[in-house]
Structures are given as C-alpha cells and as structure tokens.
Amino acid sequence: MRPSEELRYAILALQREGNRNLIAALKPVGLTPAQAEVLRVLDDYAPLTLTALGELLICESGTGPSRLVDRLVTSGAVQRTVDRNDRRAVTLELTVRGKQLSSAVAQVEEAMYAAIDSAVAEVRVDTVLAVARTLLTGTPAGTALERRRNSGL
C-alpha cells in the first residue's frame, strides 16, 4: 500500500471511529452529531441566518442545514426570528433549552478533546493539521473549517 493510499484510508477510518464514538456519547443527550454541531455553532456565533449557519457547518453539505434547523426548532432548541424590516430575513438563535443542550454537547466534546490530546501528546499536531489543511484546501468542508478557525468570535 502506498503512503497516500494509507493516509486516505486512515483519514476515513478516523472519521468513522470518531463519529461512532460521538454518536454513542451524544445518545444520552438525544442529539445526532449534526444536530450537536448546529447547536454549538449557534452557541458560538448566533444570531445567524440560515445561509451564514450553513457556511460554518462541517456536517452538512448539499441542501444545507434547513432540515436540521427545522428539527431543532420543532424540539424547542432553536428559535427563528423574522426581521421587522425584511420578512425574508430570518435569524437563528438558541432557546434556553438549546443553550442547555449545547452545554451538554460541550461536555461531551471536552471529554473527546481530552482523549485526543492524551492520545497525541507525543505527536506534532501542528504538522498533522498542516497536512489536513492542505488536503482540504478548496473543498466546502475545508472552507467552512477555515471560516470557523478565522472568525475570531
């Protein structure tokens, strides 16, 4: 197996294992990883329009986050607010319930990040990130990640 092939499959395997672990950790909270990401992004950057939210998400591609947001609005975690001056402009924010769920997700994420930090304590993470950023350059997910990294919020 050539190194680039192994790297490709290693990245895929890491994503799958990480997602399995995240699904299991979020099960008690009652959220999917995609729903959890929406809550965390809104907690960090709200108020946001649906378009702006979509530009910051890694979990969603294609049609965007509308179905995810609809489910979170229905569950009482996200509130839509229509602009008084422009009825087409709608912003999204977390409700009290959404903030509670986001806090629970943050605890799950913190445990996950602590485990990753421990596992890679002897690794040059900046080098790994440089490789990942290079491979993600020009992709929708890479662009979303760059927006979040550079947002300064």
Side-chain angles (χ1 to χ4, degrees), residues 1 5 12 14 18-19 25 28 32 35 47 49 54-55 64 80 85 93 103-104 107 117-118 132 141 144 153:
M1 178 180 284
E5 181 182 7
L12 179 60
L14 280 167
N19 209 38
T32 67
Q35 291 168 331
T49 64
E55 291 173 351
R80 284 187 180 107
N85 300 320
E93 294 183 82
S103 179
Q107 290 176 355
D117 288 342
S118 176
L153 297 176

Side-chain angles (χ1 to χ4, degrees), residues 10-67:
I11 291 168
L12 179 60
L14 280 167
Q15 188 276 330
R16 287 188 177 169
E17 291 304 317
N19 209 38
R20 279 189 198 116
N21 291 336
L22 186 56
I23 288 167
L26 288 171
K27 191 172 185 172
V29 181
L31 295 169
T32 67
Q35 291 168 331
E37 184 183 6
V38 168
L39 292 178
R40 296 296 294 137
V41 168
L42 285 174
D43 203 9
D44 288 343
Y45 304 102
L48 290 172
T49 64
L50 189 62
T51 301
L53 173 65
E55 291 173 351
L56 293 171
L57 293 178
I58 311 299
C59 67
E60 275 299 301
S61 61
T63 60
S66 4
R67 285 189 208 136

Side-chain angles (χ1 to χ4, degrees), residues 53-112:
L53 173 65
E55 291 173 351
L56 293 171
L57 293 178
I58 311 299
C59 67
E60 275 299 301
S61 61
T63 60
S66 4
R67 285 189 208 136
L68 274 172
V69 170
D70 288 345
R71 279 182 245 141
L72 292 167
V73 167
T74 300
S75 76
V78 172
Q79 172 182 306
R80 284 187 180 107
T81 305
V82 178
D83 186 291
R84 293 178 191 183
N85 300 320
D86 182 358
R87 293 183 45 179
R88 295 169 296 166
V90 177
T91 57
L92 306 169
E93 294 183 82
L94 295 180
T95 63
V96 171
R97 174 172 160 59
K99 287 186 182 292
Q100 292 167 342
L101 287 169
S102 180
S103 179
V105 171
Q107 290 176 355
V108 166
E109 289 176 340
E110 187 51 43
M112 181 178 62

